[in-house]
Amino acid sequence: MNATELSYETPEKMLVKSLVEISEGKVDMALETIDALIKQTPNFKLAYLIQGDLLLAHAKQINGMGDETKGEKKEEVENLKNEAKVRIERYLNNLNLQNEPKIFAQLNNKVKYLFYVDAVSSRLYLYENINGKLSYKDDYYVSIGKNGFGKQYEGDKKTPVGVYFTGKKIRESLSDFYGEAAYPLSYPNEIDKKNKRNGSGIWIHGTPKTTYNRTPLASDGCIVLSNPDLMKLSSVLDNNRIPIIISFQSLKDLESYNKNLTEKKISLVSAIESWREKWENQDTESYLKFYSKNFFSEKDDYDSWAERKRIIQSQKQKVFVELSEISFFDYPNTENEIVLVDFVQDYKSPAINNKMNKRQYWINENNEWRIMYEGGT
């Protein structure tokens, strides 16, 4: 990549262009670029740090960004250097974003968008659902929790890892700290609660007017965008209930991890259909084989669930089970592979006629898909 490949479309591209010009030894050009950036975005703190270094470079040799900073400002400069690093790496990672990403997910036609957050790289990617395929729309620099990701408890200042859904824009008056808008995330979810993770108030929100953005690790656990970026996303977020995968894996990691993505999707869809079929046929023992021994719901563990199902299905009533609007999302996990599955379930029997939104978590145990959670949404 060279400086001519970056246009002046966004403040970030202008900033990266200046860094590329510095790497090419074009200090005067870099200073012109950064001056133009500051004129356009006067609250961009990282731009001022680079400008200061460039001005110093005219007077004497400097070894690196912010190296002349001393004392209490040193930590702030280190944070800004980390911001510069993740921003420029976005343009050096050689990702072909126009290809469909290797995300283990499938969206039904009512789910229009998907967010994918690479927490390590402080990046949020937006995809649009076009005829069942994920199409890249844009990506944005974000700040996450001061102590990184993997939230466990209230006040740990970490961003959760998992699959969540955005909520409606918070309408009550908020302090300037949250910027132009705030949208809550559905943390804690069923997996979080099972693992005794707690806390609340995890939002997507903006920044105070005095600063363009925050450094990579700066929030109390929320996902924070610059106000201009948040406003660009407002038309998507205002639709509410957008699925968001917050992961420790980059898109490049997924390229090698999900090489057999089509086969994985087919195997999961086949398992879901087989589960539905065994239930509809009232083949109780075959049906129960689809449930993990570690199964849980709001009221049951595996044993109580199995006992209740055996009693119900012993009546051998004729039932009808239809699933529609199926979506699934890979659940970031360091151990077993887990997938969140949402669908509409239409169940009919001589005694019951019920249509509901349903959620399951399927876990891959010894290359067999099994249900570890089931409940309504």
Side-chain angles (χ1 to χ4, degrees):
M1 183 184 70
N2 56 55
T4 58
E5 294 178 87
L6 291 157
S7 69
Y8 283 75
E9 294 176 7
T10 66
E12 179 173 71
K13 285 187 177 180
M14 293 176 71
L15 183 120
V16 172
K17 183 175 185 291
S18 73
L19 294 174
V20 172
E21 287 167 341
I22 292 169
S23 72
E24 294 172 350
K26 301 172 182 175
V27 175
D28 290 336
M29 288 180 64
L31 187 56
E32 287 180 14
T33 302
I34 213 72
D35 286 346
L37 170 56
I38 289 172
K39 185 176 180 180
Q40 175 186 308
T41 313
N43 55 355
F44 201 156
K45 290 182 180 179
L46 178 55
Y48 285 99
L49 177 66
I50 296 169
Q51 183 191 54
D53 282 344
L54 287 168
L55 292 171
L56 277 172
H58 280 282
K60 62 176 181 176
Q61 181 69 35
I62 57 173
N63 297 316
M65 186 186 297
D67 281 352
E68 297 298 306
T69 308
K70 295 180 174 62
E72 295 179 1
K73 292 273 188 181
K74 196 70 177 175
E75 182 179 352
E76 182 181 350
V77 168
E78 285 302 313
N79 290 334
L80 290 171
K81 288 167 72 172
N82 287 334
E83 179 188 334
K85 178 175 178 289
V86 297
R87 284 187 182 276
I88 198 167
E89 282 179 351
R90 150 67 179 87
Y91 294 90
L92 298 175
N93 62 15
N94 296 319
L95 274 175
N96 187 346
L97 292 168
Q98 302 313 312
N99 289 343
E100 190 173 13
K102 293 288 188 179
I103 299 172
F104 187 13
Q106 176 176 295
L107 279 58
N108 74 60
N109 60 11
K110 290 189 176 180
V111 182
K112 301 300 184 185
Y113 298 99
L114 171 72
F115 289 133
Y116 187 91
V117 176
D118 172 357
V120 175
S121 300
S122 294
R123 208 80 198 173
L124 180 150
Y125 295 87
L126 170 64
Y127 293 95
E128 185 176 7
N129 178 12
I130 299 180
N131 299 322
K133 292 190 175 183
L134 294 176
S135 176
Y136 168 79
K137 293 293 290 180
D138 212 341
D139 62 278
Y140 305 88
Y141 165 84
V142 295
S143 178
I144 66 167
K146 292 182 178 73
N147 292 324
F149 52 87
K151 187 170 185 63
Q152 297 294 325
Y153 56 87
E154 180 81 43
D156 64 4
K157 300 187 184 303
K158 290 185 177 182
T159 297
V161 167
V163 180
Y164 304 95
F165 296 86
T166 63
K168 293 182 179 179
K169 182 178 179 179
I170 296 172
R171 296 295 177 183
E172 58 261 33
S173 179
L174 296 172
S175 75
D176 181 55
F177 178 81
Y178 298 102
E180 294 291 338
Y183 301 82
L185 299 185
S186 58
Y187 174 87
N189 61 26
E190 297 84 1
I191 297 287
D192 294 319
K193 292 173 184 175
K194 173 66 173 176
N195 290 307
K196 301 189 183 329
R197 299 180 190 129
N198 58 36
S200 60
I202 302 298
W203 299 349
I204 293 177
H205 66 79
T207 55
K209 293 182 178 66
T210 54
T211 183
Y212 177 68
N213 65 270
R214 298 168 74 177
T215 52
L217 304 178
S219 80
D220 288 338
C222 294
I223 295 169
V224 182
L225 293 97
S226 71
N227 287 323
D229 287 346
L230 188 63
M231 291 301 95
K232 285 182 190 175
L233 282 172
S234 62
S235 61
V236 173
L237 285 161
D238 286 344
N239 290 327
N240 68 73
R241 211 177 182 282
I242 308 300
I244 177 168
I245 302 173
I246 306 175
S247 180
F248 49 82
Q249 289 184 303
S250 69
L251 294 177
K252 189 171 283 292
D253 291 336
L254 295 180
E255 287 182 355
S256 55
Y257 184 73
N258 284 333
K259 285 183 178 178
N260 59 338
L261 188 57
T262 301
E263 291 83 355
K264 287 170 71 171
K265 288 182 178 181
I266 290 171
S267 70
L268 178 62
V269 170
S270 176
I272 294 169
E273 172 56 22
S274 295
W275 164 79
R276 185 207 65 79
E277 184 182 87
K278 300 302 182 187
W279 183 16
E280 187 173 69
N281 293 338
Q282 301 287 277
D283 184 350
T284 306
E285 296 310 313
S286 296
Y287 162 80
L288 288 174
K289 285 180 181 177
F290 282 97
Y291 289 83
S292 168
K293 291 296 194 277
N294 295 315
F295 172 83
F296 69 99
S297 69
E298 287 188 9
K299 297 179 180 179
D300 294 299
D301 59 13
Y302 174 81
D303 290 334
S304 60
W305 177 271
E307 181 182 2
R308 190 153 55 84
K309 292 299 180 180
R310 287 190 178 105
I311 292 170
I312 294 170
Q313 296 185 13
S314 66
Q315 302 171 33
K316 294 298 179 184
Q317 293 181 330
K318 178 65 177 176
V319 303
F320 168 83
V321 182
E322 181 180 51
L323 311 181
S324 61
E325 298 178 25
I326 299 172
S327 293
F328 57 77
F329 311 94
D330 189 25
Y331 197 98
N333 193 48
T334 55
E335 298 173 2
N336 297 78
E337 190 168 32
I338 297 172
V339 182
L340 182 156
V341 182
D342 275 352
F343 53 89
V344 174
Q345 175 184 292
D346 191 0
Y347 176 89
K348 294 183 177 69
S349 75
I352 299 173
N353 188 342
N354 177 260
K355 192 170 186 177
M356 66 181 294
N357 295 318
K358 197 80 167 280
R359 173 165 300 160
Q360 295 175 331
Y361 289 90
W362 288 70
I363 185 169
N364 193 328
E365 295 179 332
N366 300 316
N367 294 318
E368 295 284 344
W369 286 110
R370 292 190 173 89
I371 301 163
M372 64 179 292
Y373 169 86
E374 186 170 323
T377 62

